[in-house]
Amino acid sequence: MNAAATAEDTAAPVLQADAVNAYYGQSHILRNVSIRVMPHEAVSLMGRNGMGKTTLLRTLMGLLRPRSGAIRLRGADMTGERASAVARAGIAFVPEDRGVFPNLTVEENLTFAARPGRDARADWTLERVYGLFPRLAERRSNWGNQLSGGEQKMLAIGRALMTNPEIILLDEATEGLAPKVRDEIWATLRLITEAGIASIVVDKNLDDLFELAHRHMVIVKGEIVFDGPTAALRADEALIHRHLGV
Amino acid sequence: MELVLIQILNGLQYGLLIFLAASGLTLVFGILGIINLSHGSFYMLGAYLSLTLTSWFGDIFLALAAGIPIAFAFGAAIEWLFIRHLYNRDHLQQVLLTFGLILVFNELQRILWGTQPHSVPIPAYLSASIQLSDTLSYPVYRLAVGAICILLALAMMLVIQKTRIGQMIRAGESNREMVEALGIDTRILFRFVFAAGVALAAAAGIVAAPIESVYPGIGERVLIISFVVVVIGGIGSIKGALVGALLIGLADAFGKVFLPQLASVVVYALMAAVLVTRPAGLFGRA
Amino acid sequence: MVLAVLIALIAIALVLPFFVGTYGIKFTTRVMVIAILVVSLDFLIGVTGLVSFGHAMFLGLGAYTLYFISPKSEAVSALIAIPATIVAAAICAAAIGAIAVLARGFYFIMVTLAFGQMLFSLFHDTDVAGGSDGAYINVVPQFHIGDWLALDFGNRLNLYYFCLAALIASYLFLLWLTRSPVGRVLQGICHNEARVSALGFNTYNYKLLSFVVAGALGGLAGGLFASIDGYVTPDLFGWRESGLAIMMVVLGGTGTLYGPILGAVLFAILEELLRSPAMVGATIADHWLMALGFVLIGLVLVAPRGIAGLLERDRGGKPAAEPVEAKAPPARQPQPGKELATEELSRRFGGLVAVNGVTVGFQRNRVHGIIGPNGAGKTTLINLLSGVLPPTAGSIRLDGEEIAGQRDFLIARRGLGRSYQRTNILLPFTVGENCRLAAQARHPHPWRVSDAAYRQNEEAAVVNALQAAGLTARRHVRAAHLSHGEQRQLEIAMLIASGARLLILDEPLAGMGPEETARVVALLRDLAVDHTVILIEHDMDAIFAAADTLSVLVEGKLIAHGTPDEIRRDLAVRAAYLGQYGDSEKVPG
């Protein structure tokens, strides 16, 4: 599926943040955060609650304006752009609470914001999303608030795919879901990665993250304290114990 | 018996007019979270547009066709100039700013059209009356107003239920941030919703102008009644606005016959009764 | 600064009549009367948080009361007239408020507006008191002591000084009330009504009280206003007057009481200026209302905090850099907590059964954990237990007494206290004030204007709660300046101070670091000495360490209940929820 990727695509990061600082009111949440995500790459973002994971995703999405630093998507400066502009440029967001619209049907949730991507031939369509999540096809005319937590998460992921993004930001991908549903979500995420969509995935299950992503970032009190491959993280038991609480 | 029938017709027709005005108010609240006191001014705008445009074009329906886009553009401008600054402010400031707008609009009206009451002609082809019985007749234009209101209401519901923009509007009602994160510029969406609310209120003002005379302060009565309707129906609920408006229309029509001096008190008493039994309105989310 | 401005204003008001003519005296009298209306409105808007858009109705009610009690050709005694206007307005406020206070937020604004308009149409559309034309009061109130005419509202100077005295008295009365225990609750309602209600205060009664007090003073203003010209008109009830009154409140600065008085004065000056062709030219003077509209809009956009915002800097002070108290709290005397049991408890939302036939018992003086995936109905369950939601079916017994379906504040008074998933404290209050309000919930009557009878008891409760929660050193810090973990501790401290014997905590550890978590787990264990504790928590290590029993909720059903060891061994639980902890070697504890 991703064979069409050109040499230029793989050389430059799809998403890049340089020395980003972000605040909520007076509190300094992100401190000089620099990250880069290459095309087709799944990267994990880990850290305890309250360390700034969600804030980082929201800042990348344009939902929170950074006080300093720069955010680039495929080299284009997105710093301070509205979230809608960031979304149209190719970033999609699946929030922890899923953000499913309760007063829209499943199908309306999927289609109302759908957009073609850069390469229309590889586009995600309603059929393809229903193929990925047959449960959603069954419930296509149900209202958003009639879904279980797992179905809502699938709907939120499907909705993100329908905007045909270059990169998906997933906050707490499997939090609060039953183990069976979790496995389903992880399998889907691996499929999406194989389909060539880059992602930053926040979750608490290290083993699943290790299986999905080859590079991992650990955030502690708003600073990225680790950014490296699976083997390096596995080796650093002190880091895992102290900051990831396993 | 004929009297009752006529009052039912009057009540429904008045209720439908009020529904057009109130639906804009409830939409703007439900989606933008704005309590808009100046909503009555847009009804007044419609009434005066009706006066001017009918005198230009010679026909109330041409005035309606021209007036709706004018009101829509006016609404979009007002949103851009003032309302958009209120989205994250508390109720008090919304109330205050829109109250300021009323003062401005009232003076603008005085400058442009003066303080004399005016009347707008009913088109000749609708000036007849239908004979209901030997002694009672009912003007055709009033029936036409009812029909126009029903058409506009249906069009609005169709847009909300069936179109993509309607889906955006419903989505924006529950989670503005997520709509934005899906690539939809909510600034434009909100401007559209506000302008549509203004256009609905103005449309009501335009078609009502030949029935009631056009005078300063015409919008304030409509504003208060629209508030009552929204409270009865439940804030943000279009269905509630419809039921509330018809209830109020009928209560007003019968009140005028049976308790002429207390007609408006009847309307407020109805609101109080609803509020005591259902504090979030008939269709409101508690 | 503020005091200096107020004293200067009073001094100016005292000598002003010697420098201005009769017009100036009348004008200033009117300003002072409107200031009484406005300061009473601020008590409603700024202190209690109820935005009324119909406050002018009390101006009208007071004015018409004076009209009705004035005989045709002689003066009514001021000693009767003034109390009559106040009492009549208070009675009407009680009747209207009884309905209006049911409404919240936007509804309250609209409902007060509608009631104002209802009274307007009542006096405008009917023939009562001259209908839309208004009516004259031929002789305004007087008061004789023997032969001496002590008060004569027909005498400009006499009325002027009476109104000045009435304004000062109204201000001081409202200031005193705001600083009394009643005022503390009202301010609490303004900032966080749900919290105040959950502590056991009947917020409806408090809001109604506030509405009646404000209405009564509005009536006083109305009686005085009608005395100025000896004339009443339905326009006094109108929403325009109400809107202008709100504007003066905001212009001056909401919640400060003195600010709105300045707002009324400034507005009067502004109005005179804008209406004067000599000052602004004939065009603007002719359309001064439009100019006023733009001033209003500008005010909202540029200076939303009003004049008071300019006079005062941040009232909160800086975050104090005191160290967190390190020493362990002294051991408390064991006391029985409350015990709670449910039977077949269910709650439906439309087609969704959020809580489905839950039967469970929570013994006293234990820590009970409730776990389950998101959306399993945990929060709904504790909303049922604490009375925030009525159950669809089933029973809840607190120490054997049925409480299902009772209102939250009534359940709170029986000794059940709860915290919320999102920290729910009064941010503008200090730590001590938060606990003080909570302690006051032991005697939650709205007629409590003095602390005297309870001060010792409640102070002891505050000290005890702060100590138990480890916040003694932070007592004078504003809650907004605490760290996240300390805010959660404060919430627990408030529950302790309120005298609750059963605490229900919704994710008390969420967002805490390891040290904070350990501290709060220790606190929870310690609390069981004199409380029963029920908590929802996602941190498995912490809840297995803290709890004596665990209840597992999945899709609204209780699928397991037992000691942490039993739960750990329960296969069904592992499959349904524990997931990564399913491997028993990894299970903590």
Side-chain angles (χ1 to χ4, degrees), chain C residues 282-354:
Chain C
T283 319
I284 294 183
D286 189 28
H287 301 293
W288 74 279
L289 277 169
M290 185 189 291
L292 180 65
F294 279 120
V295 169
L296 261 179
I297 293 167
L299 174 74
V300 172
L301 297 180
V302 179
R305 281 191 59 203
I307 306 170
L310 303 175
L311 288 178
E312 298 176 41
R313 305 244 150 62
D314 180 17
R315 269 175 291 163
K318 290 282 157 246
E322 296 160 80
V324 181
E325 193 182 35
K327 70 173 184 350
R332 297 191 307 280
Q333 288 302 309
Q335 282 189 43
K338 294 264 178 184
E339 107 190 318
L340 189 72
T342 72
E343 205 167 312
E344 289 299 321
L345 189 64
S346 296
R347 169 72 200 197
R348 255 179 219 93
F349 295 105
L352 178 81
V353 187

Side-chain angles (χ1 to χ4, degrees), chain B residues 130-153:
Chain B
I130 292 178
Q131 208 65 31
L132 292 178
S133 73
D134 298 341
T135 49
L136 284 165
S137 60
Y138 199 77
V140 172
Y141 184 74
R142 279 182 179 262
L143 294 175
V145 166
I148 293 168
C149 289
I150 290 174
L151 280 179
L152 283 171

Side-chain angles (χ1 to χ4, degrees), chain B residues 22-280:
Chain B
S23 62
L25 194 68
T26 209
L27 262 184
V28 164
F29 171 75
I31 293 154
L32 280 59
I34 294 283
I35 186 160
N36 180 19
L37 290 184
S38 60
H39 198 69
S41 302
F42 303 128
Y43 180 91
M44 176 181 79
L45 171 76
Y48 278 94
L49 278 178
S50 187
L51 176 66
T52 301
L53 296 175
T54 309
S55 75
W56 285 358
F57 300 133
D59 187 289
I60 184 84
F61 294 106
L62 292 176
L64 182 64
I68 287 179
I70 294 175
F72 187 90
F74 183 74
I78 294 300
E79 195 275 350
W80 182 72
L81 280 169
F82 304 110
I83 304 296
R84 68 189 169 112
H85 303 292
L86 292 175
Y87 291 141
N88 296 315
R89 304 283 194 94
D90 62 34
H91 303 173
L92 194 56
Q93 297 178 16
Q94 298 177 353
V95 163
L96 207 53
L97 190 144
T98 52
F99 180 68
L101 283 177
I102 295 182
L103 299 181
V104 172
F105 290 145
N106 280 349
E107 283 304 303
L108 272 178
Q109 176 274 321
R110 201 157 72 92
I111 292 169
L112 292 173
W113 285 286
T115 52
Q116 291 300 313
H118 297 273
S119 60
V120 176
I122 293 174
Y125 50 89
L126 288 181
S127 60
S129 288
I130 292 178
Q131 208 65 31
L132 292 178
S133 73
D134 298 341
T135 49
L136 284 165
S137 60
Y138 199 77
V140 172
Y141 184 74
R142 279 182 179 262
L143 294 175
V145 166
I148 293 168
C149 289
I150 290 174
L151 280 179
L152 283 171
L154 283 177
M156 175 177 67
M157 292 198 176
L158 210 65
V159 166
I160 291 178
Q161 292 308 324
K162 297 291 172 202
T163 66
R164 198 152 144 139
I165 192 142
Q167 293 168 359
M168 289 178 194
I169 288 171
R170 276 183 282 148
E173 196 180 342
S174 62
N175 192 340
R176 178 184 183 182
E177 194 171 75
M178 198 60 228
V179 173
E180 182 78 28
L182 283 165
I184 291 151
D185 192 333
T186 49
R187 286 177 304 184
I188 295 169
L189 181 66
F190 280 23
R191 196 160 304 147
F192 174 87
V193 170
F194 189 84
V198 170
L200 282 168
I206 292 173
V207 294
I211 299 178
E212 25 182 294
S213 63
V214 179
Y215 56 93
I218 186 173
E220 294 175 7
R221 209 193 76 224
V222 171
L223 171 73
I224 310 274
I225 285 292
S226 298
F227 271 0
V228 171
V229 164
V230 170
V231 167
I232 288 179
I235 296 175
S237 164
I238 298 277
K239 203 199 307 174
L242 180 62
V243 173
L246 293 178
L247 272 178
I248 289 294
L250 290 172
D252 183 78
F254 283 98
K256 273 188 181 130
V257 177
F258 298 114
L259 298 162
Q261 289 192 322
L262 293 173
S264 24
V265 177
V266 170
V267 165
Y268 299 116
L270 183 64
M271 177 197 73
V274 169
L275 205 65
V276 169
T277 46
R278 295 194 61 121

Side-chain angles (χ1 to χ4, degrees), chain A residues 153-166:
Chain A
K153 200 86 202 185
M154 294 173 193
L155 179 54
I157 293 172
R159 187 177 60 187
L161 291 172
M162 293 288 287
T163 68
N164 286 293
E166 315 249 329

Side-chain angles (χ1 to χ4, degrees), chain A residues 16-246:
Chain A
Q16 184 175 1
D18 293 310
V20 165
N21 284 282
Y23 290 72
Y24 274 127
Q26 290 300 310
S27 31
H28 193 167
I29 308 289
L30 297 182
R31 298 164 186 270
N32 281 318
V33 170
S34 297
I35 64 160
R36 50 182 53 207
V37 181
M38 305 308 283
H40 321 307
E41 182 189 30
V43 183
S44 80
L45 176 63
M46 310 181 205
R48 283 188 184 278
N49 283 343
M51 290 301 174
K53 299 186 301 276
T54 299
T55 306
L56 175 54
L57 296 191
R58 288 172 53 83
T59 308
L60 294 172
M61 192 62 227
L63 291 169
L64 181 68
R65 189 183 278 262
R67 205 168 283 186
S68 66
I71 296 164
R72 286 168 208 286
L73 184 70
R74 287 199 177 276
D77 189 7
M78 301 302 305
T79 321
E81 288 283 348
R82 291 180 68 82
S84 53
V86 173
R88 282 195 302 273
I91 307 186
F93 181 44
V94 179
E96 179 179 1
D97 68 4
R98 306 154 201 134
V100 162
F101 301 111
N103 47 356
L104 267 65
T105 64
V106 167
E107 190 144 317
E108 285 177 330
N109 262 288
L110 287 171
T111 53
F112 90 97
R115 265 191 311 280
R118 291 200 330 156
D119 178 6
R121 284 165 307 171
D123 266 359
W124 286 88
T125 59
L126 203 53
E127 292 72 40
R128 214 171 142 200
V129 169
Y130 282 155
L132 193 63
F133 298 115
R135 294 255 289 270
L136 293 183
E138 288 165 26
R139 313 210 57 175
R140 64 173 74 199
S141 49
N142 282 87
W143 297 106
N145 58 2
Q146 295 172 322
L147 301 185
S148 72
E151 288 164 340
Q152 287 191 27
K153 200 86 202 185
M154 294 173 193
L155 179 54
I157 293 172
R159 187 177 60 187
L161 291 172
M162 293 288 287
T163 68
N164 286 293
E166 315 249 329
I167 175 166
I168 294 186
L169 313 178
L170 265 144
D171 200 0
E172 297 294 357
T174 64
E175 162 102 21
L177 302 183
K180 243 181 88 184
V181 183
R182 289 184 179 194
D183 292 344
E184 246 178 276
I185 299 279
W186 287 117
T188 310
L189 294 182
R190 285 191 291 273
L191 278 175
I192 291 170
T193 307
E194 281 164 26
I197 298 173
S199 56
I200 299 179
V201 181
V202 171
D203 202 87
K204 293 200 174 63
N205 294 290
L206 296 196
D207 293 335
D208 291 303
L209 285 173
F210 287 155
E211 202 175 327
L212 174 74
H214 301 298
R215 193 156 63 80
H216 310 278
M217 298 184 287
V218 178
I219 187 167
V220 175
K221 294 198 188 301
E223 288 180 74
I224 301 280
V225 298
F226 176 91
D227 183 348
T230 308
L233 183 57
R234 274 191 200 277
D236 198 341
E237 276 186 28
L239 179 92
I240 291 184
H241 184 72
R242 197 146 39 106
H243 297 311
L244 305 177
V246 177

